[in-house]
Amino acid sequence: MVFSKDNMTGIILALLSSVFIGASFIIKKKGLRRAAVVSGVRAGVGGYSYLLEPLWWIGMVTMIVGEVANFVAYAFAPAVLVTPLGALSIIVSAVLAQIVLKEKLHPLGILGCVMCIAGSIVIVIHAPQEHAISSVKEIWYMATQKAFLLYVGSVLVLVFILVFYFAPQCGHSNVLVFTGICSLMGSLSVMSVKALGTSLKLTVEGKNQLMYPETWFFMFVVAVCVVTQMNYLNKALDTFNTAVVSPIYYVMFTTLTIVASVIMFKDWDGQNVGSIISGICGFIVVLSGTILLHVTKDMERSSSFRGTSYTPLSPTLSTRLCNTNGESLKHEEEGGSSSEEVDSRRQEIQV
């Protein structure tokens, strides 16, 4: 398959985004460990000493660079191509965790990584070509077509029901409530990010789109959707195990984003049935690999706790902040006491 220049640019930016975001998890985690050793108080129990740790800030800057690259990628390539590639950040994080943090990767986790890579290759090979857009007016026309308006209306109704009916009753007992709100709003945020990114791209090329109110409307929608998404994702992660929330959120968010993109931007128009089926199969392989990687990560953590002779000194808390691409602005905090902290406390006990 011959890739267009824009598609190739989008692919490269999406891959760079995954590398930066995946690496940022490890850098920030290393910074959290150092801060916990120095202050004696972990971030998971209310400590904020990591704000004085340069390594943590390096991780934050790395994550911001990755998110910016992901934002720009949507201006060049279809969402059905960019969004699934966000799973590669999980692989980068898992591999670096084993090398830098000495966290053992389960054999089935390695299989999950291979599945993510294989599925991503299939998606890239069968990715649709991006339709040329010359004005934000064209995007507005796509956003106001009956099929997409029906999708937006359905999303808003479902979010309203989940927020005001199901969340108060079973939001803290059913993981699908909070993650459902995040995923539904996330699909709209990606469409708005793509519209805004395309407008800014055209503006940089000399076709000023900032004069149109549609550009500012898309900016407003991005802000509202992202804030809502972050709020309910934090609630989900604060209530349920991260190993459960992450794969469910990724599956729902990516699936809904692809559906929204196909409806609004007609990504699959002009593609033959074989390419569409191959792309869907590649997406399913990526989803399966992602779920397998998260599940085995939780298994490895549980087995390591059973194999130790001490009890964790503080509770687990994982918090992530997420933006447009299911793939995330994320802040994952250390799940148990670091080895340095445990060693120092053992020495104190011996003394």
Side-chain angles (χ1 to χ4, degrees), residues 11-298:
I11 291 171
I12 293 173
L13 287 171
L15 293 176
L16 287 175
S17 172
S18 295
V19 171
F20 277 103
I21 293 175
S24 71
F25 296 158
I26 307 305
I27 298 173
K28 288 198 300 178
K29 196 168 184 178
K30 192 74 174 177
L32 288 168
R33 283 186 172 184
R34 285 188 180 181
V37 171
V38 172
S39 66
V41 181
R42 289 178 53 246
V45 292
Y48 293 97
S49 59
Y50 60 87
L51 295 175
L52 302 176
E53 175 56 51
L55 194 59
W56 185 85
W57 284 106
I58 292 174
M60 281 299 297
V61 172
T62 304
M63 175 169 286
I64 292 172
V65 171
E67 295 295 352
V68 170
N70 190 65
F71 175 87
V72 178
Y74 280 111
F76 288 92
V80 296
L81 171 60
V82 176
T83 305
L85 291 180
L88 297 179
S89 64
I90 302 173
I91 298 176
V92 174
S93 178
V95 172
L96 290 179
Q98 183 164 358
I99 297 173
V100 178
L101 301 177
K102 308 303 180 184
E103 295 180 355
K104 186 178 179 182
L105 185 61
H106 195 280
L108 288 179
I110 297 176
L111 176 61
C113 292
V114 173
M115 291 173 65
C116 287
I117 295 173
S120 297
I121 292 174
V122 173
I123 291 173
V124 169
I125 292 175
H126 297 280
Q129 297 296 328
E130 181 80 308
H131 302 295
I133 297 175
S134 58
S135 171
V136 71
K137 294 286 188 180
E138 292 183 35
I139 305 176
W140 182 255
Y141 174 77
M142 297 175 187
T144 54
Q145 59 186 317
K146 291 182 179 179
F148 188 69
L149 287 177
L150 180 61
Y151 175 81
V152 173
S154 302
V155 166
L156 294 179
V157 170
L158 286 173
V159 168
F160 184 86
I161 294 173
L162 288 172
V163 170
F164 293 102
Y165 181 76
F166 286 101
Q169 293 190 13
C170 55
H172 293 277
S173 59
N174 191 328
V175 68
L176 296 178
V177 176
F178 291 149
T179 53
I181 296 172
C182 297
S183 302
L184 289 165
M185 295 302 290
S187 66
L188 297 183
S189 69
V190 169
M191 296 304 100
S192 301
V193 162
K194 183 167 179 60
L196 179 60
T198 303
S199 299
L200 296 178
K201 173 191 171 188
L202 292 172
T203 300
V204 171
E205 292 174 351
K207 303 175 183 178
N208 186 14
Q209 304 296 307
L210 299 179
M211 66 177 69
Y212 298 114
E214 289 85 354
T215 300
W216 298 99
F217 175 79
F218 286 129
M219 188 178 298
F220 171 75
V221 174
V222 168
V224 172
C225 290
V226 169
V227 169
T228 305
Q229 206 177 339
M230 288 165 49
N231 178 45
Y232 283 95
L233 181 57
N234 283 334
K235 288 185 177 182
L237 290 167
D238 189 52
T239 306
F240 304 98
N241 192 321
T242 306
V244 175
V245 173
S246 295
I248 292 177
Y249 172 68
Y250 177 78
V251 170
M252 294 176 65
F253 166 72
T254 308
T255 302
L256 289 170
T257 298
I258 290 176
V259 170
S261 183
V262 169
I263 295 174
M264 179 174 172
F265 291 99
K266 302 292 190 296
D267 290 326
W268 285 343
D269 281 10
Q271 275 200 305
N272 57 56
V273 177
S275 295
I276 295 174
I277 293 176
S278 297
I280 293 174
C281 290
F283 173 55
I284 293 173
V285 172
V286 171
L287 292 182
S288 303
T290 302
I291 293 172
L292 184 61
L293 186 57
H294 274 285
V295 170
T296 53
K297 185 189 300 182
D298 194 47

